[in-house]
């Protein structure tokens, strides 16, 4: 979105292009924005066709003068990291970090519970109309005392931690850089009220590093549920591959992996091998490499894997929350404050 000065009295222009949800899906927050910024002119564009991931206009700053910021509806911006708007301009880019935390955390917990309580087995019994219950036939486990390791302690990881703590789990956080002070542990991005971990209070321990030595030290810990929530960057591409799965294999309770980040965080052929070899307990994947996952990909038939088509962040409230970020950034531009969720181009997120 861009346009003229956004002031308390000045006339401005906001152009909104949204591929995921129609205007009716965001009408409440959009109405609030229009009420708060009555001098802004809105053009809501909802393309009713599939937008490919690299379909952004080849525009520069001269073609859209005085642009204030571009707001993405995704938490990641790796899909446009090679686009001229990203590489050749200084236009502020803002992601939707924080918007997807509640629903994705629920997806993580849901798939972990499906695994722990053998629900797929029980569902097959239901489909066959079989009432079978005998001690020792199936083995279930609750989450009390288990450990969740969260690779990438952003808004999603923080909400996973909140829910995990409520279930009696131990939380281990892992970030790119050390977080040794209270200030460094705070979440300064957009937060859905009543969710997340604004002060960084939930982790029982905090680890960090983008180097393999640091990652391997983390993976050697007894982690029951490993949640991948890191952004996709050159440093995190194939963050988990053959050596990492070999380390996880040493865990006597076997680690269950949930990937809600990007498919390329995992070396997929190595994952397929780890599943067949029993190096890990299983995997829940909302992302794959590539997407869509081809029908003949061996990942489909790997044992103990749950696959969903990149939908964990999509709910009926997603659109409204995205426009709550827009509203906050409009306020910040008007008031001369820094933007929320602004992408650091150097870091890639």
């Amino acid at each position: 979105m861009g346009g003229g000065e956004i002031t308390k009295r000045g006339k401005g222009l906001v152009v909104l292009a949204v591929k995921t949800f129609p205007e009716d899906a965001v009408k409440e927050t959009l109405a609030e924005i229009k009420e708060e910024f009555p001098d802004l002119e809105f053009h809501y564009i909802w393309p009713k066709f599939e937008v490919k991931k690299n379909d952004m206009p080849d525009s520069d700053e001269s073609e859209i003068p005085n642009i204030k910021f571009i707001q993405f509806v995704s938490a990641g911006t790796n899909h446009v990291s090679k686009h001229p708007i990203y590489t050749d301009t200084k236009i502020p880019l803002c992601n939707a970090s924080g918007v997807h935390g509640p629903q994705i955390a629920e997806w993580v917990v849901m798939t972990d519970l499906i695994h722990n309580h053998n629900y797929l087995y029980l569902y097959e019994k239901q489909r066959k109309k079989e009432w079978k219950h005998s001690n020792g036939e199936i083995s279930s486990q609750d989450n009390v005392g288990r450990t969740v390791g969260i690779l990438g302690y952003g808004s999603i990881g923080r909400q996973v931690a909140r829910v995990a703590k409520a279930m009696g789990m131990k939380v281990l956080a892992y970030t790119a850089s050390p977080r040794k002070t209270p200030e460094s542990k705070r979440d300064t991005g957009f937060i859905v009220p009543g969710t997340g971990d604004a002060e960084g209070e939930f982790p029982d321990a905090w680890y960090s590093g983008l180097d393999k030595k640091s990652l391997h030290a983390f993976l050697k810990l007894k982690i029951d549920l490993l949640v991948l929530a890191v952004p996709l960057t050159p440093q995190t591409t194939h963050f988990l591959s053959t050596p990492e799965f070999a380390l996880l294999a040493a865990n006597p309770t076997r680690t269950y992996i949930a990937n809600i980040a990007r498919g390329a965080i995992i070396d997929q052929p190595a994952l397929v091998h780890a599943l067949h070899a029993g190096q890990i307990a299983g995997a829940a994947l909302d992302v794959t490499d590539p997407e869509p996952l081809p029908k003949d990909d061996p990942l489909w038939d790997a044992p103990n894997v749950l696959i969903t088509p990149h939908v964990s962040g999509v709910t009926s409230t997603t659109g409204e929350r995205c426009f709550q970020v827009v509203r906050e950034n409009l306020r910040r531009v008007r008031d001369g404050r820094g933007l929320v969720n602004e992408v650091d181009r150097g870091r890639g997120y």
Side-chain angles (χ1 to χ4, degrees):
M1 55 210 63
E5 293 290 341
I6 299 175
T7 64
K8 293 180 180 178
R9 295 185 178 180
K11 188 70 175 178
L13 171 66
V14 176
V15 179
L16 309 174
V18 183
K19 93 171 192 182
T20 308
F21 20 76
E23 190 169 356
D24 284 349
V26 298
K27 59 183 179 181
E28 292 184 11
T29 304
L30 195 56
E32 293 171 359
I33 293 175
K34 291 179 178 179
E35 181 179 1
E36 185 172 356
F37 298 90
D39 294 326
L40 291 179
E41 179 182 346
F42 288 81
H43 295 273
Y44 195 105
I45 304 169
W46 178 48
K48 296 183 180 181
F49 51 84
E50 182 179 358
V51 180
K52 297 179 182 179
K53 66 179 183 179
N54 292 321
D55 279 353
M56 284 185 64
D58 291 323
S59 303
D60 58 33
E61 289 171 280
S62 64
E63 295 177 359
I64 314 176
N66 204 26
I67 189 168
K68 297 302 179 183
F69 64 95
I70 295 175
Q71 180 71 56
F72 290 87
V73 298
S74 57
T77 55
N78 59 285
H79 59 295
V80 296
S81 61
K82 296 182 180 180
H83 192 280
I85 286 180
Y86 194 104
T87 59
D88 300 342
T89 78
K90 294 183 180 180
I91 297 172
L93 309 177
C94 301
N95 62 39
S97 178
V99 166
H100 312 91
Q103 59 267 42
I104 293 182
E106 289 180 11
W107 183 95
V108 169
V109 172
M110 174 188 72
T111 54
D112 183 51
L113 292 176
I114 286 174
H115 171 73
N116 284 343
H117 291 270
N118 293 282
Y119 178 72
L120 295 181
Y121 170 85
L122 295 172
Y123 180 66
E124 283 301 312
K125 295 297 181 185
Q126 176 187 333
R127 290 182 67 245
K128 296 176 182 178
K129 300 179 182 179
E130 294 181 2
W131 183 278
K132 295 186 67 175
H133 175 82
S134 60
N135 292 332
E137 181 182 1
I138 59 174
S139 176
S140 298
Q141 183 177 1
D142 59 54
N143 275 314
V144 177
R146 296 176 75 233
T147 297
V148 55
I150 305 174
L151 278 174
Y153 202 64
S155 61
I156 295 170
R158 289 169 186 259
Q159 180 63 7
V160 170
R162 173 183 284 267
V163 179
K165 276 292 186 180
M167 294 191 296
M169 298 184 76
K170 179 180 179 181
V171 174
L172 305 180
Y174 194 98
T175 50
S177 55
R179 306 295 178 91
K180 296 182 179 180
T181 65
E183 181 63 32
S184 68
K185 293 179 179 180
R186 293 193 180 107
D187 184 358
T188 59
F190 176 81
I191 302 174
V192 176
T195 71
D197 182 15
E199 300 300 320
E201 299 174 323
F202 291 141
D204 295 274
W206 209 299
Y207 301 83
S208 63
L210 288 173
D211 59 286
K212 288 292 188 177
K213 181 179 179 181
S214 298
L215 175 63
H216 289 179
F218 182 71
L219 297 180
K220 289 178 182 178
L221 303 172
K222 183 180 174 294
I223 297 174
D224 300 292
L225 171 61
L226 180 64
V227 180
L228 307 187
V230 295
L232 180 61
T233 67
Q235 291 81 14
T236 61
T237 299
H238 289 185
F239 215 35
L240 293 190
S241 189
T242 300
E244 288 70 43
F245 290 122
L247 289 174
L248 292 175
N251 181 0
T253 61
R254 296 203 305 161
T255 301
Y256 191 72
I257 295 175
N259 187 9
I260 49 77
R262 292 292 184 268
I265 301 294
I266 296 178
D267 178 349
Q268 200 157 283
L271 171 63
V272 172
H273 173 79
L275 289 166
H276 281 286
Q279 292 180 308
I280 57 176
L285 310 170
D286 188 48
V287 290
T288 60
D289 184 21
E291 294 182 7
L293 187 65
K295 290 186 177 181
D296 61 352
D297 194 288
L299 183 62
W300 286 112
D301 298 316
N304 300 317
V305 63
L306 289 173
I307 301 173
T308 58
H310 207 149
V311 294
S312 65
V314 181
T315 65
S316 59
T317 59
T318 303
E320 292 283 6
R321 289 175 183 161
C322 285
F323 276 84
Q324 289 169 12
V325 182
V326 173
R327 180 177 58 188
E328 176 61 23
N329 274 330
L330 288 172
R331 289 170 175 166
R332 291 183 177 220
V333 171
R334 178 195 63 195
D335 300 337
R337 296 182 290 133
L339 296 167
V340 69
N341 289 0
E342 183 171 356
V343 175
D344 183 331
R345 283 171 165 85
R347 299 177 67 183
Y349 55 92

